[in-house]
Amino acid sequence: KEGAVEEGKSYTYKLSLTTAPLTNVTIKLSVVGKCTLSTVELRKLDATETSITVHAPDNVIDEGARISYTCTINHTLVSADSAYNGQTHVLNLPVANNDVANAKLWTFNTDENAYDFKTKFVGPLCNEEGSIVQYGVQLDTEPMHLVYIIPKVIMLNKTNAVMPPKLSLSTHKLVFSPSNWSTIQPVIVQSVQDNVDNDNIKFQIVHNITSDDTVFVKKATEETLNVVFTVTDDDVAGIRLNTNVLTVQEAAASATS
């Protein structure tokens, strides 16, 4: 027979003998798979029902299929009653996957020095020339292989900058593994102070995701991770006049006699 349960939940079924036995019947239960049982042995003297609960442990892996794994519960009967002795009965319990692979960005609250909101898009942010923009990256599910996320900066309004502001990234590759997937990894972008009068320049940071976990890559890239911010210029083109001027007066003509 077959039942069905979702990861992290329990499945309860009822067990009974079809007829009253001539003598005690011992039912030994065993499980093949990750599930656990509420009991591993029953003794039946009649045909009354007994409830058995199977717990299907949760994981945080998107296996890419509707069924995450299957548990097989074996029931072996032992009795002096030859009608029951030696019988075996099997219950197959498919466990449904409840995880969806994805990667997210976290906004950063500078006032509280903490991450605020998880999202796929951050911005538009304002970055005063010479200051920083910070955000975080985190996976939603545990990957089956290493996941690499590579941020790339793109200047959006190139025509407005002859000498565009320079940016530096705190990292050029984020690596997530089955052990650190839930840790928020920071990305810090700093604009370099210059003495060039530019317009305000808008930038976009896209994130390339690669992994041997093809399920993760397929689902995590259905919607791109994007950060948009503007570097506001603080320079004003012009000339500087020095008013500390030294005045030289011609010497007076010498007197003649």
Side-chain angles (χ1 to χ4, degrees):
K1 292 185 177 181
E2 187 171 290
V5 68
E6 185 179 298
E7 285 180 323
K9 296 185 178 181
S10 295
Y11 175 81
T12 299
Y13 64 97
K14 292 184 178 181
L15 181 154
S16 66
L17 302 179
T18 55
T19 61
L22 299 176
T23 185
N24 288 347
V25 176
T26 300
I27 303 175
K28 296 183 178 181
L29 294 86
S30 62
V31 61
V32 178
K34 303 175 183 179
C35 299
T36 57
L37 300 171
S38 58
T39 184
V40 295
E41 186 172 296
L42 292 172
R43 292 194 178 188
K44 303 292 291 182
L45 296 172
D46 52 35
T48 57
E49 290 184 331
T50 300
S51 294
I52 306 294
T53 299
V54 185
H55 179 69
D58 199 0
N59 65 28
V60 284
I61 300 173
D62 185 351
E63 292 84 2
R66 186 180 65 84
I67 301 302
S68 176
Y69 57 92
T70 298
C71 293
T72 300
I73 297 97
N74 298 301
H75 308 74
T76 302
L77 280 60
V78 178
S79 177
D81 186 336
S82 59
Y84 283 104
N85 188 52
Q87 287 190 27
T88 58
H89 301 269
V90 175
L91 172 67
N92 290 314
L93 187 64
V95 180
N97 177 32
N98 63 355
D99 301 293
V100 179
N102 212 339
K104 297 286 180 59
L105 303 173
W106 279 89
T107 61
F108 187 77
N109 187 323
T110 54
D111 293 332
E112 299 180 2
N113 196 34
Y115 293 103
D116 260 348
F117 301 102
K118 186 162 63 170
T119 180
K120 295 287 280 190
F121 179 87
V122 172
L125 303 175
C126 181
N127 172 256
E128 295 182 7
E129 186 179 287
S131 63
I132 67 171
V133 166
Q134 180 172 343
Y135 63 95
V137 183
Q138 182 191 40
L139 306 189
D140 275 356
T141 56
E142 178 184 331
M144 292 182 279
H145 298 279
L146 293 178
V147 173
Y148 304 94
I149 299 182
I150 302 170
K152 179 182 178 182
V153 179
I154 301 171
M155 187 168 66
L156 298 180
N157 48 341
K158 298 180 181 179
T159 57
N160 296 339
V162 178
M163 297 179 63
K166 295 180 179 179
L167 302 176
S168 64
L169 290 175
S170 61
T171 181
H172 295 280
K173 180 188 288 186
L174 302 168
V175 182
F176 293 92
S177 69
S179 60
N180 77 340
W181 65 272
S182 61
T183 301
I184 301 175
Q185 297 193 36
V187 178
I188 300 174
V189 188
Q190 176 152 18
S191 59
V192 180
Q193 185 73 49
D194 61 24
N195 294 309
V196 179
D197 186 1
N198 282 314
D199 290 339
N200 295 337
I201 307 297
K202 184 180 288 186
F203 291 88
Q204 177 184 19
I205 303 179
V206 296
H207 300 77
N208 184 35
I209 302 176
T210 61
S211 177
D212 288 336
D213 187 338
T214 56
V215 171
F216 188 94
V217 172
K218 180 180 179 181
K219 293 190 177 182
T221 56
E222 288 177 356
E223 183 181 356
T224 57
L225 296 173
N226 279 304
V227 176
V228 173
F229 64 96
T230 299
V231 176
T232 56
D233 189 77
D234 61 358
D235 301 294
V236 179
I239 61 172
R240 180 176 297 149
L241 298 177
N242 187 350
T243 57
N244 296 319
V245 179
L246 176 65
T247 303
V248 179
Q249 183 177 355
E250 287 183 330
S254 58
T256 56
S257 56

